[in-house]
Amino acid sequence: MKNNLLVSNTSEIQNEFRVYNRNNIDIPFRLDTTIVTQNIPNALYSTDDTLFVGLGDYGGVKLYNIENPDYVEEITWIAKGFSVKEIYWDPTDRWLLLSCGYQGVVVLELDGNMQEVDSWVLNTSYAYAARNYMGSIIVATRKGLEIITLNNNQ
């Protein structure tokens, strides 16, 4: 994230993640920002100017604008009701894939402002990770890989 290091679960007292700046020569990992969340931040994923924070305990995903690392601003809160274990952003299709353990995989289509356009849930075995690959969603599960082929009508 723009030469910053993100670390989740940094406190036993509150749910939070921290942003450390790596640009400082004197202090290689200076703490810039601590962001408190409602639920445990299980997954952090950043791309361009957006940070996706997957929350446990059915907390969904919070999206933050990280254009200015000194001021991290919340954009939106989506997929409430899902416990997110892992996140993957596919910028080509503008799909956000959320691996949610026993809840399967949530696929969200986002617009240019990172607002939800469409969404669906893929029922899978316990989902650890998911990727979009050539029209299929490949899901790493406890039972191995599950490949879900999508068609244009879905």
Side-chain angles (χ1 to χ4, degrees), residues 7 14 26 30 49 63 83 98 100 103-104 110 123 149 153:
V7 181
Q14 63 185 1
D26 298 328
R30 184 192 75 215
D49 293 332
L63 281 71
S83 298
L98 309 175
C100 300
Q103 294 175 297
L110 303 179
N123 293 318
T149 303
N153 297 327

Side-chain angles (χ1 to χ4, degrees), residues 36-64:
V36 176
T37 59
Q38 289 81 352
N39 303 71
I40 295 171
N42 284 335
L44 302 174
Y45 187 95
S46 68
T47 180
D48 296 325
D49 293 332
T50 305
L51 170 65
F52 303 93
V53 179
L55 303 172
D57 299 324
Y58 311 102
V61 174
K62 285 204 170 197
L63 281 71
Y64 294 90

Side-chain angles (χ1 to χ4, degrees), residues 62-83:
K62 285 204 170 197
L63 281 71
Y64 294 90
N65 181 333
I66 54 173
E67 185 175 353
N68 177 1
D70 296 327
Y71 178 69
V72 178
E73 175 186 26
E74 183 179 325
I75 298 171
T76 189
W77 190 359
I78 57 178
K80 295 176 189 174
F82 290 92
S83 298

